[in-house]
């Protein structure tokens, strides 16, 4: 039920794709299923392929129906965690605008069922790559994560984002890409590396043996994005340069205004998601971050005027009021490739250019 920054607002343009990068919200409740594995105690999965298909099909159907009705209670039956927070925030924005969310449907699913080695606990989650219906030719794919509670409750979608899954056609034109419209950001994401699985590309995917250490990249990315503009440091020993690292920091540093003091603070949030092993030996880590954007006048004589009709103004009640300070809470999801043996990580995707606004509050200027 949540808005997609790159589709609704047109902020991000993926170069070389048929359309803007698509991502999604949603979730699925279903029968819990039991961990599957060999009778001899071999590798185990959280659920079978058939059970995962049932979970995903239920999610697609019920999430679309909830979106169409604007029913956040129905959404809560198939979503959980950070994704449910985002959906509820988007529902509040729609109510404030007097608008309605468009139902989202996903097709051509590819199931990523993590397999734990013998003797290890069964994974508590799985992931699905799919296409947004109507955008099947887009080189990007939706990436959903499903988990369930330790009590064996129903499966729910708890995170959703996007990654580029297909390289550009070999015969694609080398002509320069036209400049995007004003207000859009042009990015060139790296294609998702191959996952470690059966040689024929089928079957379960492997869990990273260094998952706990790999997840530390989420804290490093949160710290990297926390700064007061224009003091953000584009270069970091922890991350490769790219559109979701140094270019992103530069984008926020450009928000500097002499009358205003602006800062960002990020923390890892949400539950831990499965860390998958890549064929190149690295790991695929998806992070959900809780961000706080502080915006205030440098002196009592300075005020803030949010963009007319923008999300912040709408959530603050509109009326073109002036504010002494504004605090926004953001939700950001990022997908990272962590190389084997350490070294700088590559950010494959993030929605940080136009994060979901979970809440906005302000102190009115007098």
């Amino acid at each position: 039920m949540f808005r997609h920054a790159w589709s609704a607002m047109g902020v991000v343009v993926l170069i070389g794709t048929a359309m803007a990068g698509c991502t999604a919200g949603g979730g699925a409740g279903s029968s819990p299923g039991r961990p599957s594995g060999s009778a001899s105690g071999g590798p185990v999965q959280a659920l079978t392929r058939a059970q995962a298909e049932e979970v995903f099909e239920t999610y697609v159907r019920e999430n679309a129906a909830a979106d169409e009705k604007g029913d956040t209670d129905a959404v809560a039956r198939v979503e959980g965690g950070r994704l449910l927070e985002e959906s509820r925030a988007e529902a509040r924005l729609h109510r404030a605008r007097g608008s309605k969310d468009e139902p989202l449907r996903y097709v051509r699913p590819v199931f990523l069922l993590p397999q734990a080695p013998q003797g290890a606990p069964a994974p508590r989650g799985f992931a699905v790559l799919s296409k947004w219906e109507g955008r099947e030719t887009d080189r990007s794919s939706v990436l959903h994560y499903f988990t369930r509670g330790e009590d064996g409750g129903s499966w729910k979608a708890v995170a959703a984002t996007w990654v580029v899954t297909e390289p550009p056609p070999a015969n694609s034109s080398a002509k320069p890409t036209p400049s995007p419209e004003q207000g859009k950001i042009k990015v060139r994401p790296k294609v998702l590396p191959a996952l470690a699985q059966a040689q024929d590309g089928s079957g379960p995917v492997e869990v990273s043996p260094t998952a706990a250490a790999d997840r530390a990249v989420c804290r490093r990315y949160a710290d990297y994005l926390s700064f007061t503009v224009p003091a953000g440091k584009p270069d970091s020993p922890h991350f490769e340069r790219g559109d979701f690292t140094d270019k992103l920091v530069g984008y926020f540093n450009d928000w500097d205004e002499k009358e205003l003091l602006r800062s960002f603070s990020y923390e890892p949030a949400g539950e831990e998601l499965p860390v998958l092993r890549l064929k190149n030996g690295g790991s695929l880590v998806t992070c959900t971050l809780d961000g706080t954007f502080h915006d205030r006048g440098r002196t009592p004589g300075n005020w803030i005027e949010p963009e007319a009709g923008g999300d912040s103004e709408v959530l603050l009640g509109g009326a073109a009021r002036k504010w002494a300070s504004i605090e926004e809470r953001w939700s950001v999801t990022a997908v990272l490739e962590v190389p084997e043996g350490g070294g700088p990580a590559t950010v494959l995707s993030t929605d940080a250019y136009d994060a979901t606004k979970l809440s906005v509050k302000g102190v009115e200027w007098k």
Side-chain angles (χ1 to χ4, degrees):
M1 184 179 276
F2 70 94
R3 170 178 55 81
H4 312 288
W6 38 90
S7 59
M9 297 299 290
V11 170
V12 177
V13 174
L14 298 181
I15 297 175
T17 60
M19 302 182 73
C22 57
T23 156
S30 183
S31 56
R34 297 179 180 177
S36 61
S38 67
S40 60
V44 293
Q45 297 170 215
L47 72 177
T48 66
R49 167 66 182 265
Q51 290 168 334
E53 289 177 348
E54 180 186 355
V55 169
F56 187 70
E57 290 169 2
T58 301
Y59 140 71
V60 172
R61 180 178 63 253
E62 295 192 11
N63 183 66
D67 282 353
E68 194 164 11
K69 297 177 182 178
D71 187 347
T72 53
D73 291 335
V75 172
R77 292 196 292 269
V78 293
E79 284 186 357
R82 176 45 55 102
L83 188 56
L84 180 58
E85 282 190 76
E86 293 176 350
S87 292
R88 286 172 168 164
E90 293 301 335
R92 288 193 293 271
L93 181 59
H94 279 294
R95 286 195 295 270
R97 290 187 178 278
S99 59
K100 188 177 180 181
D101 200 6
E102 292 296 326
L104 302 171
R105 295 179 175 83
Y106 311 98
V107 297
R108 294 167 51 184
V110 176
F111 294 92
L112 309 179
L113 305 181
Q115 178 175 271
Q118 182 176 348
R124 287 186 52 240
F126 70 97
V128 183
L129 288 166
S130 64
K131 297 294 183 179
W132 196 354
E133 188 176 59
R135 297 187 175 186
E136 291 86 347
T137 59
D138 197 321
R139 293 197 299 115
S140 60
S141 297
V142 184
L143 176 60
H144 283 93
Y145 285 87
F146 294 84
T147 66
R148 64 173 178 175
E150 294 181 357
D151 59 355
S154 61
W155 290 94
K156 294 185 178 183
V158 296
T161 185
W162 61 276
V163 287
V164 175
T165 48
E166 294 95 44
N171 59 352
S172 62
S173 172
K175 295 180 180 179
T177 304
S179 297
E181 299 174 12
Q182 184 177 3
K184 292 186 178 180
I185 304 299
K186 192 185 292 185
V187 297
R188 293 181 184 270
K190 180 182 176 182
V191 177
L192 175 70
L195 293 160
Q197 57 187 144
Q199 290 185 358
D200 61 358
S202 62
V205 296
E206 297 180 20
V207 173
S208 169
T210 56
D214 296 334
R215 288 193 181 100
V217 76
C218 297
R219 160 54 64 188
R220 291 193 289 271
Y221 194 53
D223 291 343
Y224 174 71
L225 295 180
S226 300
F227 55 85
T228 298
V229 300
K233 297 180 179 179
D235 292 318
S236 166
H238 302 301
F239 302 102
E240 296 285 357
R241 292 177 63 88
D243 291 319
F244 304 126
T245 50
D246 61 288
K247 183 175 179 180
L248 176 62
V249 171
Y251 169 77
F252 284 122
N253 276 335
D254 286 344
W255 286 23
D256 184 41
E257 292 188 22
K258 64 180 181 179
E259 296 89 359
L260 302 176
L261 185 62
R262 293 173 159 172
S263 64
F264 305 90
S265 177
Y266 281 92
E267 292 287 336
E271 58 191 280
E272 293 183 343
L273 303 174
V275 178
L276 307 180
R277 185 169 177 269
L278 298 171
K279 194 172 183 180
N280 61 19
S283 302
L284 185 72
V285 181
T286 295
C287 308
T288 51
L289 307 179
D290 195 300
T292 303
F293 169 55
H294 292 280
D295 193 10
R296 64 181 184 273
R298 288 186 180 272
T299 73
N302 299 134
W303 64 82
I304 306 163
E305 291 184 272
E307 178 186 3
D311 292 352
S312 297
E313 187 198 49
V314 170
L315 292 171
L316 286 168
R321 288 180 287 171
K322 296 178 180 179
W323 302 88
S325 65
I326 293 175
E327 180 181 293
E328 300 184 355
R329 182 169 165 245
W330 296 357
S331 178
V332 166
T333 304
V335 182
L336 301 98
E337 176 188 356
V338 179
E340 184 179 20
T346 297
V347 185
L348 301 174
S349 70
T350 181
D351 53 8
Y353 281 106
D354 192 30
T356 299
K357 295 182 180 180
L358 299 178
S359 64
V360 181
K361 58 184 180 181
V363 176
E364 199 161 0
W365 183 80
K366 301 294 184 179

